[in-house]
Amino acid sequence: MIPIQNLYYLLCYAWNRLPEQEEWLTSEATAFHRPVELLGRVLLMGTRRLLSQGLRSAYVAREEDLAELRGRVLLDASLSRDLLRRGRAVCAYDELGPDTPFVRLLLGALDQMSRARQVSATLRQELRAVRRRFPTDLPPTTLSSHALRTVRRTRPTGHEALLLNVCELLYRSALPEPAADGRTRFMDFRRDERLMAQVFEAFVRNFYRLEQRRFRVLSETISWQAAAVEPEDLSMLPAMITDTTLESAERKIILDTKYYRAALRPRYDRQRLISPHLYQLYAYLQNQDLSPIQLLEGILLYPAATREVDLRYTLGGHPVRVVTLDLNQPWPGIAADLLKLIE
């Protein structure tokens, strides 16, 4: 299990942002017992910062029964309700204000977290206090996949993007049914291997994107070096998309991350590498279209769990390394190990 203090760093880099100094000090000083407590603290601090900067305004379409004309008069609706004789009309107009899908979603997350039984009473009180700083007429939106997609389509940036990521992780770690008292219960999402595989992959790629300047960092699609009797048959080949590619004029590194409990598996009373992982990396290396002066390398990177591994081979003429990263050590050691890996 990744220590919660290190989990903060993984999430920040997975979300393609450097850790904030204030949040880093809080995460280091606070003895969090559950990941949801860390998410609650980041949600609180991000919301406070957002409010201090001012909520972004947007135009919202409204339709109301008014005594004074505003915007467009909806004649059919006004006549059907016999409003004109009483000096009133149904009007449609756009109003500029903080009532946006993002703010409604954020309020829903604050409401949910302020009732979570796994969050300390002090943090729940702080969340309720920051919730009261929003206009009282703004309705919250319950966290859902549809609401998250709606806000994601607006392409939020800065602190809005951070808070949206927190909301999404809260939604994905909430248990299906709330407790009988209406409080939401959250699972320890570190146990969700599929989710953590996505976090680990994004963490490694964005760490290199943000922390070094020697290589261009990307996730690339590799074309098969293949031919077919029928050209359309080539479209049936599976896609080859790297987790992380680091490229300079002289070197190209294909780095594949695997979030597994161990880099080795027992077979016939011996420990062996996981063959599909090695075959996949080998296929990536063999189908590269390289510059004549580029050195091509491959790395399989696992989180260290039961055993540390550092194996080096030459496969198909290319250096290949299978290595584990200890996520249980203090953060400076993790950062140093990642940078040393690509020296």
Side-chain angles (χ1 to χ4, degrees):
M1 296 289 282
I2 302 171
I4 296 178
Q5 276 68 24
N6 285 344
L7 185 62
Y8 168 70
Y9 291 97
L10 263 70
L11 292 175
C12 283
Y13 284 103
W15 296 335
N16 202 22
R17 64 188 294 268
L18 292 170
E20 295 279 353
Q21 180 71 9
E22 181 185 1
E23 293 169 8
W24 173 77
L25 291 173
T26 300
S27 69
E28 287 291 311
T30 305
F32 295 112
H33 300 289
R34 304 177 183 88
V36 69
E37 294 176 306
L38 173 63
L39 292 180
R41 180 59 60 180
V42 176
L43 179 70
L44 175 68
M45 299 177 72
T47 304
R48 283 174 173 168
R49 189 175 293 109
L50 189 69
L51 287 169
S52 68
Q53 294 175 349
L55 296 176
R56 184 166 53 89
S57 296
Y59 283 100
V60 179
R62 299 197 182 280
E63 188 176 306
E64 286 185 274
D65 172 355
L66 300 174
E68 297 180 356
L69 296 183
R70 184 176 181 183
R72 295 183 299 107
V73 175
L74 302 182
L75 195 56
D76 288 345
S78 301
L79 291 172
S80 65
R81 293 161 60 179
D82 197 22
L83 294 176
L84 297 179
R85 286 196 306 136
R86 291 180 280 151
R88 304 182 67 83
V90 178
C91 299
Y93 60 94
D94 293 331
E95 184 174 53
L96 183 64
D99 187 1
T100 63
F102 167 77
V103 170
R104 292 189 180 202
L105 187 73
L106 178 59
L107 293 178
L110 290 169
D111 288 346
Q112 190 175 37
M113 286 297 294
S114 64
R115 296 192 301 266
R117 63 177 58 191
Q118 292 132 308
V119 171
S120 68
T122 300
L123 181 54
R124 289 201 302 270
Q125 290 173 2
E126 291 181 280
L127 288 165
R128 293 188 188 108
V130 78
R131 170 68 170 88
R132 289 192 291 269
R133 293 171 60 184
F134 287 83
T136 56
D137 60 340
L138 293 181
T141 297
T142 303
L143 295 183
S144 68
S145 58
H146 173 72
L148 288 164
R149 282 197 304 271
T150 298
V151 177
R152 187 71 70 184
R153 282 196 291 267
T154 66
R155 299 182 179 276
T157 59
H159 289 102
E160 286 192 4
L162 165 68
L163 291 168
L164 178 58
N165 286 322
V166 173
C167 290
E168 185 165 1
L169 197 48
L170 287 172
Y171 169 71
R172 295 181 66 174
S173 59
L175 292 173
E177 295 294 335
D181 58 4
R183 297 182 179 184
T184 303
R185 294 181 298 119
F186 295 89
M187 68 176 182
D188 187 337
F189 59 83
R190 291 175 298 175
R191 300 183 185 278
D192 185 335
E193 288 193 3
R194 177 178 293 183
L195 173 60
M196 288 306 301
Q198 296 172 0
V199 170
F200 186 55
E201 175 188 332
F203 154 66
V204 172
R205 181 169 56 250
N206 289 330
F207 175 87
Y208 287 126
R209 186 173 285 154
L210 294 167
E211 297 293 353
Q212 60 80 43
R213 293 292 177 267
R214 182 179 177 185
F215 296 95
R216 183 171 68 100
V217 181
L218 67 153
S219 174
E220 67 168 334
T221 299
I222 300 173
S223 299
W224 287 89
Q225 303 297 310
V229 176
E230 299 294 337
E232 59 268 21
D233 291 350
L234 294 174
S235 64
M236 304 298 290
L237 291 170
M240 291 192 292
I241 304 174
T242 65
D243 292 345
T244 302
T245 297
L246 300 103
E247 187 171 22
S248 68
E250 302 82 20
R251 292 175 67 192
K252 187 170 187 178
I253 304 172
I254 307 298
L255 194 156
D256 221 31
T257 53
K258 301 296 182 185
Y259 194 82
Y260 276 64
R261 295 183 183 276
L264 303 175
R265 283 181 178 170
R267 184 172 176 83
Y268 302 122
D269 298 325
R270 295 185 62 185
Q271 294 289 320
R272 296 185 184 274
L273 292 169
I274 302 172
S275 54
H277 299 173
L278 199 59
Y279 296 157
Q280 181 184 32
L281 181 61
Y282 185 74
Y284 289 170
L285 296 174
Q286 292 302 111
N287 287 275
Q288 282 289 320
D289 187 13
L290 286 177
S291 161
I293 63 171
Q294 273 186 319
L295 172 66
L296 180 63
E297 307 164 50
I299 298 175
L300 275 178
L301 181 64
Y302 296 83
T306 57
R307 173 181 172 182
E308 292 188 7
V309 171
D310 191 354
L311 306 172
R312 300 169 189 262
Y313 304 96
T314 299
L315 299 178
H318 306 297
V320 170
R321 188 174 178 187
V322 182
V323 63
T324 54
L325 176 66
D326 183 7
L327 297 177
N328 199 35
Q329 63 179 313
W331 169 252
I334 297 175
D337 287 349
L338 282 172
L339 293 174
K340 187 177 179 181
L341 190 61
I342 60 171
E343 286 181 351

